[in-house]
Structures are given as structure tokens and as C-alpha cells.
């Protein structure tokens, strides 16, 4: 059974993404390189999510790990206690 993700932050994390580059969004919340994966999920049963944008863009990645629209922030952090 997978461990529950932890909220890395209760705010979105804004990063610049390059077209054609592959990014791995941290789903577990344990990465020191938020919002991207650094391998800290090992043993949690949670795997990072692959994301490869077709165009260069600025994105608001979810930092609380509660989004219903991964890897993007959907405001779910506003409901966390």
C-alpha cells in the first residue's frame, strides 16, 4: 500500500518549463527539489508524474499534492488545515 503524500507547501510552485523537455513532478511531497522529483519517493509506493510540455511555458505546479488536476495547482491547498 502506498504512503500518503505530504504537503511540501500550501502554495503553488511556479516554474519555467522548456518545450520538449521532460519533467517529473513529485507526487510524494518529500523531494528537496520541489516541485520536481529527486528520488525521495523510494519505498513510499508513490511514483513521480512525467510531464513534457509541447510549448515553453510558465506553470503553477501543485505543492500541496492534493490537486485533482496533476501536476497543476487547482486551489486544493485552500482547503487544507
Amino acid at each position: 500500500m502506498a504512503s500518503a503524500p505530504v504537503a511540501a507547501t500550501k502554495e503553488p510552485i511556479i516554474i519555467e518549463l522548456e518545450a520538449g523537455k521532460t519533467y517529473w513532478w513529485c507526487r510524494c511531497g518529500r523531494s528537496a527539489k520541489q516541485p520536481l522529483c529527486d528520488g525521495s519517493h523510494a519505498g513510499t509506493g508513490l511514483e513521480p508524474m512525467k510531464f513534457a510540455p509541447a510549448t515553453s511555458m510558465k506553470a503553477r505546479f501543485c505543492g500541496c499534492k492534493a490537486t485533482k488536476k496533476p501536476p497543476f495547482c487547482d486551489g486544493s491547498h485552500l482547503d487544507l488545515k
Side-chain angles (χ1 to χ4, degrees):
M1 178 173 233
S3 300
V6 296
T9 180
K10 290 186 179 177
E11 300 291 329
I13 302 167
I14 301 169
I15 61 171
E16 293 279 344
L17 305 174
E18 294 177 37
K21 186 174 176 182
T22 298
Y23 298 87
W24 293 92
W25 175 63
C26 170
R27 288 186 194 226
C28 73
R30 293 164 176 83
S31 174
K33 296 182 179 182
Q34 288 297 326
L36 305 176
C37 177
D38 69 359
S40 296
H41 63 275
T44 66
L46 298 168
E47 296 293 323
M49 178 182 174
K50 182 179 179 180
F51 182 74
T55 60
S56 294
M57 60 192 280
K58 186 181 286 188
R60 293 172 28 120
F61 275 35
C62 175
C64 74
K65 312 308 174 185
T67 184
K68 291 170 187 60
K69 296 183 180 185
F72 304 110
C73 174
D74 68 355
S76 292
H77 60 274
L78 300 172
D79 297 327
L80 298 178
K81 294 180 181 185

